[in-house]
Each structure stands twice: as structure tokens, then as C-alpha cells.
Amino acid sequence: MEPVKKLEEIITSWPEISAHPHQFSAREFRFKKAEVGHVHDGGIVDIPFPRTVHDALLEEGLAEVHPWVPDSGWVTFRIRSDRDVPHAVWLMRFSYFRYALKAAADPSQLFAEAKEELRLSHRFEALLKQFLPEARKPEIVEPLSA
């Protein structure tokens, strides 16, 4: 199977993922209404991330700067052969989990599964952990009593 088709088949098997046409001969993948990323026919994979994740991926050499929007959170990865598919899956799966964690019935359990599946380093574990719902709750400060 062609690497791009193989990647598309894997991504569309994930819960809550839908595939849609995207501009420039690409296929877009959404978790509910949020874009997880898209794949161009030629094997270019583009994925949106928050800047913290974007910067870590670039620093670790796990993705490239997006050529058309270099000052955004978007990253690019090029699939050149079947050997590149697992890494493309890893990047898309990381993007997927940041949305899935927000919607999960048991986000802590899903986080544990994601950590294991993606074999996250401490750095990427901390980056993914920020998407846990309890990680986003503001800290409640009790008023000082007089």
C-alpha cells in the first residue's frame, strides 16, 4: 500500500476522527471539529500545535518548520517511504491525543495510555499533560481571614 494511503487508513481508524477534502490536494483529519492535521498527496504532513509543542518538536529534530507559515505553530513532516509512516503516525497521534484528552470520560486513563503508546520522553509527557482538563483549572486561592 502507498505510504500516504497507509497513513490515512491508520488515522481514520481512531475514535472521533473524520476525513475531509483539504486545499492543495490534501486530506484533512478532524477530531470532532478541530483539525488534527492534514496530508498532501505528495506525502507532506502538516500538523498544528501550540508553540510550546512546535518548538520542542523542532529542537528535537522530530519535525520541520512549515514552509508557508513558518511563524505559526504548524510543523511539517515529509513521508518519503514506508519507513517514514510510523513517525508520521506518532506526530498525528500526539496531535490527536491533545484533543481526545479534553473530551475523554477518564482523561487520566487516556493520558496513561497515550504516554505508553507514544513512549513519551519526560519533555513530551509534560507537554501533553497540559491538555488534561485538571491541568487547565485555575488554582483557587482562599481569602485571608482577618
Side-chain angles (χ1 to χ4, degrees), residues 41-108:
D41 288 345
I44 296 172
V45 180
D46 295 324
I47 307 169
F49 285 108
R51 278 310 281 236
T52 54
V53 176
H54 165 276
D55 293 349
L57 290 168
L58 296 180
E59 287 171 16
E60 302 275 337
L62 298 172
E64 301 171 21
V65 173
H66 191 286
W68 300 108
V69 284
D71 295 323
S72 70
W74 284 85
V75 298
T76 293
F77 178 74
R78 299 172 196 284
I79 298 174
R80 293 179 173 92
S81 72
D82 285 334
R83 292 188 328 228
D84 296 324
V85 172
H87 187 67
V89 168
W90 187 92
L91 290 167
M92 292 292 274
R93 194 74 167 149
F94 193 96
S95 179
Y96 168 83
F97 277 124
R98 67 191 186 100
Y99 295 110
L101 286 169
K102 295 175 189 177
D106 186 352
S108 296

Side-chain angles (χ1 to χ4, degrees), residues 94-142:
F94 193 96
S95 179
Y96 168 83
F97 277 124
R98 67 191 186 100
Y99 295 110
L101 286 169
K102 295 175 189 177
D106 186 352
S108 296
Q109 177 60 37
L110 184 60
F111 178 74
E113 292 170 17
K115 231 172 48 167
E116 186 176 325
E117 176 186 325
L118 297 175
R119 297 184 198 151
L120 296 177
S121 66
H122 292 297
R123 181 180 194 182
F124 285 97
E125 178 181 335
L127 288 168
L128 188 60
K129 194 172 201 169
Q130 70 185 336
F131 300 104
L132 282 167
E134 61 267 14
R136 295 189 311 272
K137 289 182 183 172
E139 186 176 316
I140 298 173
V141 178
E142 295 294 323

Side-chain angles (χ1 to χ4, degrees), residues 21-33:
H22 188 84
Q23 60 186 350
F24 309 117
S25 299
R27 197 92 172 119
E28 180 178 313
F29 304 97
R30 295 182 197 154
F31 181 90
K32 299 187 181 189
K33 293 184 180 184

